[in-house]
Amino acid sequence: MTKILVTGALGQIGTELAGELAARYGKSAVLISDVRKPASGDGGFEFASLDVTNAEAISQVLKEHGITDIFHMAAILSASGEKNPALAYRVNSDGTFNILEEARKAGINRVVIPSTIGVFGAETPRNHTPDITVLRPTTMYGITKVNAELLALYYRDKYGLDVRGLRFPGIISYLTPPSAGTTDYAVDIFYHAVQGKDYLCYLKKDTALPMMYMPDALHSLIQLFEASREKLRHCLEYNVSAYSFTPEEIYHAIRETYPEFRIAYEPDFRQKIAETWPASLDSHFAREDWGFKPMYDLKKTVDDMILNLRKILVHH
Ligand code: SER
């Protein structure tokens, strides 16, 4: 019987991932966990309070619930990581080490760990960035995620643990807001437009970053989870993205629906982070090895975001 633990299940991706996994494997096959308590109920999911910096607690949850597979989504993102680097180190590096070590001891089948464009740095080629390239990030988030990628490889090669992952770009979604990353503007801008507010953007108007819509992010996680192991040439180093845009480009795309919408730019510390990240990614390994194929282009993303945010923000 499959029983999947999702860590960080109250975060931007975790929340929606739990629903997707339940739709596929049944609700009783999913155990959601987070360091926070669910504010608005657990959505009918079994919930375990879990701090991934506590190895003993992980071990207990794995045993108690007969966990077979793990999606390790708990992380401190780039912007909050710069506000509290020590916490980012503990959650992202110690937390990932604990997950891998307890998974190995418990004989877990598959461990899925998302990585990020945050692993790249100023010396990485900025356009069509390949999977295997220079990794010299300058954020604590990036440093801990490079560490996670290398640890995953180590556990795979030394112990035969089945660890898989991909490097997400900025993820656009409307259900749960992102928890303080550098790419959050691409979500915030929609909330402002739909609520008839002007937007003050913390990145410069011509800063291009790779992005992707949530349904494609979820689909790719599950595709990777279900892929046959022999086909996977990489561990966590699969770059994925659907498109790239600048703040100015997304602004103009939104203005097609909201011609009155206005934007101003006031770059802060996140601009410096964004400048060390790729403008676009080469995703061919993900396409070839496990069939990565995003369905949402920028126009479909914008239309769907506006449609859903209107339902949530305007009609209630
Ligand atoms: N969305 C993340 C961040 O901005 C990138 O992985 O930190």
Side-chain angles (χ1 to χ4, degrees):
M1 271 274 288
T2 301
K3 184 87 187 197
I4 305 167
L5 170 68
V6 181
T7 70
L10 301 180
Q12 184 196 12
I13 303 175
T15 311
E16 298 199 41
L17 176 65
E20 280 298 307
L21 291 172
R24 221 162 156 88
Y25 301 106
K27 217 165 200 174
S28 59
V30 183
L31 174 70
I32 64 168
S33 73
D34 204 285
V35 71
R36 291 172 291 166
K37 298 260 170 328
S40 50
D42 50 20
F45 283 95
E46 226 182 312
F47 174 82
S49 174
L50 183 61
D51 176 351
V52 296
T53 66
N54 183 344
E56 184 52 37
I58 296 171
S59 159
Q60 235 177 353
V61 165
L62 298 185
K63 272 190 219 133
E64 229 169 77
H65 297 269
I67 299 298
T68 58
D69 299 274
I70 302 174
F71 280 79
H72 178 41
M73 311 304 290
I76 305 286
L77 297 194
S78 57
S80 38
E82 289 317 286
K83 298 204 170 122
N84 195 342
L87 179 68
Y89 189 86
R90 282 199 299 278
V91 173
N92 300 352
S93 282
D94 294 345
T96 301
F97 171 78
N98 290 340
I99 287 287
L100 289 167
E101 179 62 7
E102 296 312 319
R104 173 187 76 79
K105 290 199 260 177
I108 296 297
N109 295 334
R110 283 163 294 182
V111 183
V112 178
I113 305 178
S115 188
T116 165
I117 52 170
V119 295
F120 301 118
E123 292 133 296
T124 308
R126 285 210 80 210
N127 293 299
H128 306 289
T129 304
D131 291 356
I132 305 301
T133 184
V134 181
L135 302 182
R136 288 171 57 81
T138 46
T139 62
M140 184 54 92
Y141 176 59
I143 292 167
T144 60
K145 283 294 191 174
V146 170
N147 185 56
E149 289 191 357
L150 295 174
L151 276 175
L153 263 175
Y154 185 85
Y155 272 76
R156 187 194 70 178
D157 294 345
K158 189 171 173 96
Y159 301 113
L161 185 68
D162 186 346
V163 194
R164 305 149 177 230
L166 36 59
R167 293 192 185 120
F168 275 140
I171 304 294
I172 302 171
S173 68
Y174 56 83
L175 221 56
T176 306
S179 58
T182 299
T183 57
D184 293 12
Y185 93 85
V187 174
D188 294 343
I189 193 171
F190 283 98
Y191 279 79
H192 283 73
V194 172
Q195 291 176 299
K197 298 180 191 157
D198 295 349
Y199 185 60
L200 186 59
C201 185
Y202 57 79
L203 294 185
K204 290 186 190 160
K205 64 178 174 187
D206 57 355
T207 310
L209 288 168
M211 302 272 178
M212 165 160 142
Y213 198 34
M214 182 63 90
D216 284 325
L218 299 175
H219 186 65
S220 54
L221 278 170
I222 289 174
Q223 260 185 314
L224 177 61
F225 179 60
E226 292 180 349
S228 71
R229 196 177 178 181
E230 311 77 67
K231 296 232 171 88
L232 303 180
R233 286 173 284 178
H234 289 342
C235 196
L236 309 193
E237 304 89 352
Y238 286 108
N239 292 346
V240 294
S241 93
Y243 36 72
S244 293
F245 56 75
T246 64
E248 191 172 36
E249 284 162 353
I250 187 91
Y251 167 67
H252 283 297
I254 294 172
R255 261 192 40 172
E256 308 235 328
T257 310
Y258 295 100
E260 312 281 283
F261 181 44
R262 291 193 315 179
I263 191 166
Y265 299 94
E266 200 176 281
D268 68 12
F269 73 102
R270 289 167 283 189
Q271 175 65 29
K272 276 217 182 78
I273 298 177
E275 280 170 14
T276 69
W277 288 358
S280 64
L281 302 177
D282 172 0
S283 303
H284 86 272
F285 273 97
R287 285 200 301 275
E288 287 173 13
D289 289 8
W290 47 272
F292 171 65
K293 191 173 185 291
M295 307 305 259
Y296 284 83
D297 60 16
L298 184 56
K299 165 127 185 55
K300 270 182 81 179
T301 303
V302 170
D303 291 348
D304 201 63
M305 277 295 283
I306 291 174
L307 185 83
N308 283 288
L309 279 180
R310 272 183 176 161
K311 284 187 208 151
I312 296 170
L313 301 172
V314 185
H315 300 309
H316 280 248

